């Protein structure tokens, strides 16, 4: 039996997902990755819960809703593309966002609400990004060439942070992430 995982994420507007899908299409051929995410799966992870028992998951939902009750919508700006892992063979290809105090505050509220529900969460610093692909399988990854093809580094793309979603993973499916519950910002 495959384990399922749950996570909270900032939901991206459809226009942003479409833009990132078009960007992925421009670079796919020259930069092959084992898995390209379905555009409906694009998000910014706020807290990864892992295998979440129902009772704890429900408590986290209650806590998150309370924590976000007076949080306002805010604007973010896409800011280029990058990788995690080795330059020659990256693990993750991502789109970034400009640093945002509102986003960091939102992540902290969601993270704390989940800890208060009993979850032990990753202690690594929050690095907001939107995963586009995983596991480079080509011969020679060239970051500069990929950024040139992607063509989002020198442009300003605005998006609104308006909804936090609890997702459940369904590995092997496309899209892989099923929305379970949402919390709208005011």
């Amino acid at each position: 039996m495959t384990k399922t995982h749950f996570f909270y994420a900032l939901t991206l507007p459809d226009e942003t997902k479409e833009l990132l899908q078009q960007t992925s299409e421009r670079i796919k051929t020259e930069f092959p990755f084992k898995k390209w995410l379905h555009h409906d799966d694009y998000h910014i992870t706020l807290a990864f819960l892992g295998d979440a028992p129902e009772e704890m998951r429900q408590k986290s939902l209650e806590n998150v809703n309370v924590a976000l009750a007076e949080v306002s919508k805010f604007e973010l700006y896409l800011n280029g593309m990058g990788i995690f892992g080795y330059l020659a063979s990256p693990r993750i290809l991502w789109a970034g966002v400009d640093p945002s105090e509102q986003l960091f505050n939102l992540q902290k509220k969601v993270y704390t609400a989940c800890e208060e529900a009993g979850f032990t969460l990753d202690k690594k610093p929050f690095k907001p990004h939107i995963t586009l692909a995983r596991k480079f399988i080509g011969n020679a990854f060239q970051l500069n060439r990929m950024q040139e093809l992607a063509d989002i580094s020198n442009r300003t793309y605005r998006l609104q942070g308006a909804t936090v979603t609890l997702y459940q993973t369904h590995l092997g499916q496309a899209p892989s992430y099923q929305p379970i519950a949402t919390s709208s910002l005011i």
Side-chain angles (χ1 to χ4, degrees), residues 23-158:
T23 301
S24 293
E25 291 298 325
R26 278 197 302 276
I27 60 178
K28 247 182 206 186
T29 305
E30 195 167 327
F31 294 94
F33 279 77
K34 185 174 183 178
K35 177 176 173 83
W36 287 87
L37 270 65
H38 188 282
H39 67 276
D40 285 339
D41 286 340
Y42 297 157
H43 65 274
I44 298 173
T45 302
L46 302 172
F48 182 77
L49 305 181
D51 182 24
E54 175 71 22
E55 188 175 310
M56 286 174 66
R57 198 168 64 240
Q58 288 303 319
K59 182 64 177 162
S60 75
L61 275 170
E62 292 169 19
N63 292 356
V64 166
N65 284 331
V66 169
L68 302 183
E70 295 184 17
V71 175
S72 299
K73 297 175 185 175
F74 57 94
E75 291 186 346
L76 287 172
Y77 296 89
L78 288 181
N79 182 6
M81 302 199 30
I83 59 168
F84 292 137
Y86 296 108
L87 182 58
S89 60
R91 285 183 296 107
I92 303 287
L93 173 67
W94 51 260
V97 294
D98 280 341
S100 161
E101 185 177 340
Q102 294 96 334
L103 178 58
F104 278 86
N105 289 339
L106 175 72
Q107 187 272 339
K108 189 173 185 176
K109 286 179 181 287
V110 171
Y111 188 96
T112 301
C114 292
E115 282 188 323
E116 290 172 353
F119 288 98
T120 303
L121 304 176
D122 192 348
K123 301 291 184 203
K124 287 186 274 187
F126 178 51
K127 293 183 180 176
H129 65 279
I130 303 157
T131 299
L132 302 178
R134 293 190 175 99
K135 297 183 184 170
F136 181 68
I137 55 174
N139 290 326
F141 188 84
Q142 299 171 342
L143 184 60
N144 290 341
R145 173 70 179 142
M146 184 276 305
Q147 290 171 333
E148 178 184 303
L149 277 178
D151 192 32
I152 67 171
S153 295
N154 298 321
R155 300 184 187 183
T156 301
Y157 295 106
R158 182 172 52 95

